[in-house]
Amino acid sequence: MADFNVNLRGVGSVSVIDVKGYLDAHTAPELENVFNKLLDDRQFKVVVNFDELKYISSAGLGVFMAYVETMRENSGDIKFSNMKENVYNIFDLLGFPILYEFFKDEKEALQKFDSLG
Amino acid sequence: MADFNVNLRGVGSVSVIDVKGYLDAHTAPELENVFNKLLDDRQFKVVVNFDELKYISSAGLGVFMAYVETMRENSGDIKFSNMKENVYNIFDLLGFPILYEFFKDEKEALQKFDSLG
Amino acid sequence: MNSSKNIYEKELLVKSTTDNLALIREFTRNSAADCGFSDETIGKIILAVDEACTNIIKHAYKYSPEGNIFLAVKFEERKFFISITDEGKHFDPANVPEPDLVQYYKQKRAGGLGMFLIKKLMDEVNYSTLSGNKNQVVLVKYLS
Amino acid sequence: MNSSKNIYEKELLVKSTTDNLALIREFTRNSAADCGFSDETIGKIILAVDEACTNIIKHAYKYSPEGNIFLAVKFEERKFFISITDEGKHFDPANVPEPDLVQYYKQKRAGGLGMFLIKKLMDEVNYSTLSGNKNQVVLVKYLS
Ligand SMILES: Nc1ncnc2c1ncn2[C@@H]1O[C@H](COP(=O)(O)OP(=O)(O)O)[C@@H](O)[C@H]1O
Ligand SMILES: Nc1ncnc2c1ncn2[C@@H]1O[C@H](COP(=O)(O)OP(=O)(O)O)[C@@H](O)[C@H]1O
């Protein structure tokens, strides 16, 4: 039932994570695995593309909180793109826009990394 | 939750009913409405396209049983097309293939009407 | 199966309305999937449960939305049990004849297929009457 | 609402495993939709219930899959009540501080957001202890 899929792509020096379906306490470990793999591979520049994400609970939000500082300490970041309004509203309710950058399109998020070199 | 959609199209002298989603005791009345409309309009040649039907229970099967003889008494028929295997298996279990014609494609079903004039 | 005791329990109580059938199917899917049935068998169990609940709504409660339908699931010794209990009209399943599709066709009858399907789809079907004017049907599927 | 008495009742009993969260959300969606809430409000209720059940699985049962989670829904005087009962570890919600996202960020903490969300999303949140070592939280949403 709890359909969730996560896919990892490389776009230049940036890692793009596509998340799809329902991200809850049951499925969040799958996303954690991907972040652990990125740390193993010393990949710190991450864009998460939310285009096909239908639902997120705090268990999903917690994954980003757990990894973002390590990314930043290594000159990287986690940036968000293509978020549906109902999903954005949850991030917003918790004050995430103070701490994270949100972009309408994946391209813009990628460019932001590029422009910083 | 119980997503069901029914759409009526005319193709030449034949009425094509597209059914989509979940056809159960809750949604079967929507399909009955379409058949009632066809009887009102004296349209007796019907193809039901099952391409997007995910689920059917006996309440759905019963709708076809309720209308098919009237169609045949008026030189028409109800023919089935594009049925997924899991849906066909239910029709099969109940012996429908003795009483109804099933076609892989809508086109073949339409041609069968045409060839009879 | 998550339970180390290998006894699986889930319950759902809903009112006797057809718009609850989708939830009943999800409940059944989730329960059967946890016990390790194939998608094909899960589909059979779902349809049998839908048919049994539809009959309760239609015949036992005659479409009154006030009735209760109570589902309880357990998994024991590789058998999946789902019991469905109502407080509506009693009926004797022995009095229900097997349907004859060709006869049905001739009589323009649309019903009579549900109980036949339930028996075809499940390994055991047991109807019983409980105290307090309750009717129960227990559907059983073996995990092969 | 189908009930002429205007009292709506539904119950779900599941074990304390995260793979039941999807079913819990469907149960909640179905119940709230029947009461006439907008999709946006239904989404809020679903998330609050998910968070409350996730907390029970994580904290009250510490991921043991043997625990029971019991949900019961009623709708009365345009208020939607969903009570969630467990038999796990007691806790005093008064001792849980409001989360400070910036602090969390600095401490690399990932949690602490669930209870904050529940309070933000619902109109009333009432924790209580029942006899028999049961804990209950009742979430309430008003139909405006
Ligand atoms: N749960 C039930 N309570 C009361 N009567 C039932 C129940 N299930 C079945 N019946 C009776 O058995 C008959 C056959 O049921 P079924 O095969 O499902 O066909 P249908 O519901 O289409 O008539 C019904 O018409 C009804 O009289
Ligand atoms: N149902 C519960 N049973 C026991 N403890 C709980 C429960 N809900 C919340 N808590 C306690 O409250 C704290 C805050 O919960 P929450 O805001 O959901 O964040 P998180 O679960 O991510 O820690 C938890 O860490 C836990 O100690």
Side-chain angles (χ1 to χ4, degrees):
Chain A
M1 279 180 77
D3 283 314
F4 177 70
N5 262 293
V6 56
N7 177 52
L8 183 59
R9 297 180 273 138
V11 180
S13 63
V14 182
S15 303
V16 179
I17 302 176
D18 296 298
V19 286
K20 189 169 165 175
Y22 296 79
L23 180 53
D24 64 4
H26 190 58
T27 58
E30 291 180 52
L31 182 59
E32 276 170 12
N33 289 343
V34 172
F35 275 104
N36 288 335
K37 186 181 162 4
L38 289 176
L39 293 189
D40 285 348
D41 298 348
R42 301 196 58 75
Q43 299 292 321
F44 304 113
K45 294 182 185 174
V46 182
V47 171
V48 185
N49 185 326
F50 283 82
D51 190 38
E52 297 189 76
L53 196 86
K54 289 191 185 156
Y55 176 82
I56 192 164
S57 74
S58 72
L61 302 168
V63 178
F64 305 116
M65 290 303 280
Y67 291 93
V68 68
E69 229 208 329
T70 307
M71 300 304 178
R72 289 178 187 170
E73 284 164 359
N74 288 281
S75 322
D77 195 12
I78 302 176
K79 299 188 196 295
F80 299 138
S81 83
N82 299 70
M83 209 176 270
K84 299 236 155 55
E85 200 186 327
N86 67 318
V87 172
Y88 178 78
N89 287 344
I90 306 305
F91 280 86
D92 194 26
L93 208 56
L94 291 169
F96 271 63
I98 309 177
L99 291 173
Y100 294 82
E101 285 186 299
F102 293 76
F103 298 89
K104 244 179 80 183
D105 290 315
E106 183 186 312
K107 227 192 220 166
E108 296 171 43
L110 290 168
Q111 277 165 358
K112 192 68 187 282
F113 275 118
D114 281 348
S115 65
L116 299 172
Chain B
M1 282 181 75
D3 283 314
F4 176 71
N5 262 292
V6 55
N7 178 52
L8 184 58
R9 297 179 274 137
V11 180
S13 63
V14 182
S15 303
V16 179
I17 302 177
D18 296 297
V19 286
K20 189 171 166 174
Y22 297 79
L23 180 53
D24 65 5
H26 191 58
T27 57
E30 290 179 52
L31 181 60
E32 277 170 12
N33 288 344
V34 172
F35 276 104
N36 288 335
K37 186 179 159 8
L38 290 176
L39 293 189
D40 284 348
D41 297 349
R42 302 195 58 74
Q43 299 293 320
F44 304 113
K45 295 181 185 173
V46 181
V47 172
V48 185
N49 185 326
F50 282 81
D51 190 40
E52 298 190 76
L53 197 84
K54 290 192 186 155
Y55 175 85
I56 192 163
S57 74
S58 72
L61 301 168
V63 178
F64 305 116
M65 291 303 280
Y67 291 92
V68 68
E69 229 208 329
T70 308
M71 300 305 178
R72 290 178 187 171
E73 285 164 359
N74 289 281
S75 322
D77 194 12
I78 302 177
K79 300 188 195 296
F80 299 137
S81 83
N82 301 67
M83 211 176 267
K84 298 237 156 53
E85 200 188 328
N86 68 318
V87 171
Y88 177 77
N89 287 343
I90 306 306
F91 279 87
D92 194 27
L93 206 58
L94 291 170
F96 273 64
I98 310 176
L99 291 173
Y100 294 82
E101 284 187 297
F102 293 76
F103 299 88
K104 244 180 81 184
D105 289 315
E106 183 185 314
K107 227 191 222 168
E108 296 171 42
L110 290 169
Q111 276 164 359
K112 192 67 186 282
F113 274 118
D114 281 348
S115 64
L116 300 171
Chain C
M1 280 289 302
N2 289 303
S3 167
S4 56
K5 278 184 298 176
N6 220 25
I7 291 186
Y8 184 79
E9 279 162 11
K10 258 198 176 105
E11 296 176 7
L12 177 68
L13 173 72
V14 291
K15 292 290 173 195
S16 51
T17 59
T18 53
D19 66 343
N20 283 322
L21 289 171
L23 178 62
I24 288 167
R25 290 196 300 266
E26 274 309 308
F27 173 81
T28 307
R29 172 185 305 283
N30 176 295
S31 307
D34 277 356
C35 298
F37 287 99
S38 68
D39 281 352
E40 196 190 327
T41 307
I42 293 171
K44 289 180 181 175
I45 300 173
I46 288 173
L47 179 54
V49 172
D50 176 327
E51 297 292 344
C53 293
T54 298
N55 277 346
I56 290 170
I57 295 166
K58 243 164 71 172
H59 303 299
Y61 289 123
K62 301 186 185 312
Y63 291 105
S64 147
E66 298 293 318
N68 287 322
I69 302 179
F70 179 73
L71 292 96
V73 158
K74 81 178 168 190
F75 185 70
E76 246 173 353
E77 295 171 3
R78 302 182 70 75
K79 290 182 182 174
F80 178 83
F81 298 81
I82 184 158
S83 74
I84 309 171
T85 311
D86 69 74
E87 298 152 339
K89 202 182 128 248
H90 294 289
F91 95 110
D92 184 354
N95 292 340
V96 177
E98 291 257 310
D100 175 336
L101 199 66
V102 177
Q103 276 309 309
Y104 271 49
Y105 173 74
K106 297 218 169 101
Q107 297 161 19
K108 281 193 217 176
R109 274 208 47 190
L113 307 175
M115 285 191 56
F116 174 79
L117 271 179
I118 296 171
K119 277 182 242 159
K120 278 270 184 187
L121 296 166
M122 300 303 288
D123 291 315
E124 292 178 34
V125 181
N126 302 306
Y127 287 87
S128 61
T129 305
L130 308 184
S131 65
N133 273 332
K134 290 189 165 122
N135 314 299
Q136 185 172 75
V137 58
V138 181
L139 310 181
V140 189
K141 193 78 188 175
Y142 308 152
L143 184 64
S144 50
Chain D
M1 280 291 301
N2 289 303
S3 165
S4 58
K5 278 185 300 181
N6 219 26
I7 291 186
Y8 184 78
E9 280 162 12
K10 256 197 180 106
E11 296 175 6
L12 177 69
L13 173 72
V14 292
K15 292 289 173 196
S16 50
T17 59
T18 53
D19 67 342
N20 283 322
L21 289 170
L23 178 62
I24 288 168
R25 290 196 298 268
E26 275 309 309
F27 173 81
T28 308
R29 173 187 305 284
N30 177 293
S31 307
D34 277 357
C35 297
F37 287 99
S38 69
D39 282 351
E40 196 191 327
T41 307
I42 292 169
K44 289 181 182 177
I45 299 173
I46 287 172
L47 180 54
V49 172
D50 176 327
E51 297 292 344
C53 293
T54 298
N55 278 344
I56 290 170
I57 294 167
K58 245 166 66 174
H59 303 299
Y61 290 122
K62 301 188 186 308
Y63 290 107
S64 148
E66 298 292 317
N68 287 321
I69 302 179
F70 180 72
L71 291 96
V73 156
K74 80 178 170 187
F75 185 69
E76 245 174 353
E77 294 171 5
R78 303 182 69 75
K79 288 182 185 176
F80 178 83
F81 298 81
I82 183 158
S83 75
I84 309 171
T85 310
D86 68 73
E87 297 151 339
K89 202 182 127 249
H90 293 290
F91 95 109
D92 184 356
N95 292 341
V96 177
E98 291 257 312
D100 176 335
L101 199 66
V102 177
Q103 277 308 309
Y104 272 46
Y105 171 76
K106 298 217 168 105
Q107 297 160 20
K108 280 190 217 174
R109 276 209 47 189
L113 307 174
M115 285 192 53
F116 175 80
L117 271 179
I118 296 171
K119 278 183 244 159
K120 278 269 186 187
L121 296 166
M122 301 301 290
D123 291 314
E124 291 178 35
V125 181
N126 302 307
Y127 286 88
S128 60
T129 304
L130 307 184
S131 64
N133 273 332
K134 291 191 164 122
N135 314 301
Q136 186 171 74
V137 56
V138 182
L139 310 181
V140 189
K141 193 78 189 176
Y142 308 152
L143 183 65
S144 50

